[in-house]
Amino acid sequence: MLSEAERRSLEEIEQRLLADEPRLARTMNRQVRPWLLYSLLFVFGGLTVLLTVISAFGPAFQCLMVTAAVLVYRRYPLRLR
């Protein structure tokens, strides 16, 4: 457990980092590893193409929705606090 002074110092450092390097701060706050998102994009994107080629449009649409959800999550990650 941090003391109140340590907690304030940590919040101040976080605010400075966010102001100076916002991209780095966002990257450090992510809980999900980037390789997981890329592997989901690769698998479900590939399945979308494969299922469309073999004319299985229902499952292809579902895979497309998962791919789109991963892309949206990658752009706008959830902040649970």
Side-chain angles (χ1 to χ4, degrees):
M1 215 52 190
L2 297 175
S3 70
E4 189 63 34
E6 292 171 333
R7 191 172 300 129
R8 281 193 306 265
S9 296
L10 181 59
E11 288 175 7
E12 182 181 331
I13 291 169
E14 288 174 347
Q15 292 301 321
R16 284 186 197 166
L17 178 64
L18 186 59
D20 294 343
E21 297 290 336
R23 231 175 140 189
L24 176 64
R26 280 194 309 265
T27 302
M28 290 177 62
N29 282 340
R30 285 195 180 152
Q31 298 296 326
V32 177
R33 303 287 183 241
W35 61 266
L36 178 62
L37 292 177
Y38 291 128
S39 61
L40 284 173
L41 286 173
F42 179 75
V43 169
F44 283 99
L47 278 173
T48 301
V49 171
L50 177 67
L51 291 169
T52 302
V53 167
I54 63 172
S55 299
F57 296 115
F61 182 71
Q62 291 173 344
C63 289
L64 179 66
M65 290 295 103
V66 172
T67 304
V70 170
L71 285 172
V72 168
Y73 176 77
R74 197 170 146 240
R75 179 71 176 108
Y76 304 105
L78 296 175
R79 301 282 187 224
L80 301 175
R81 283 191 180 192

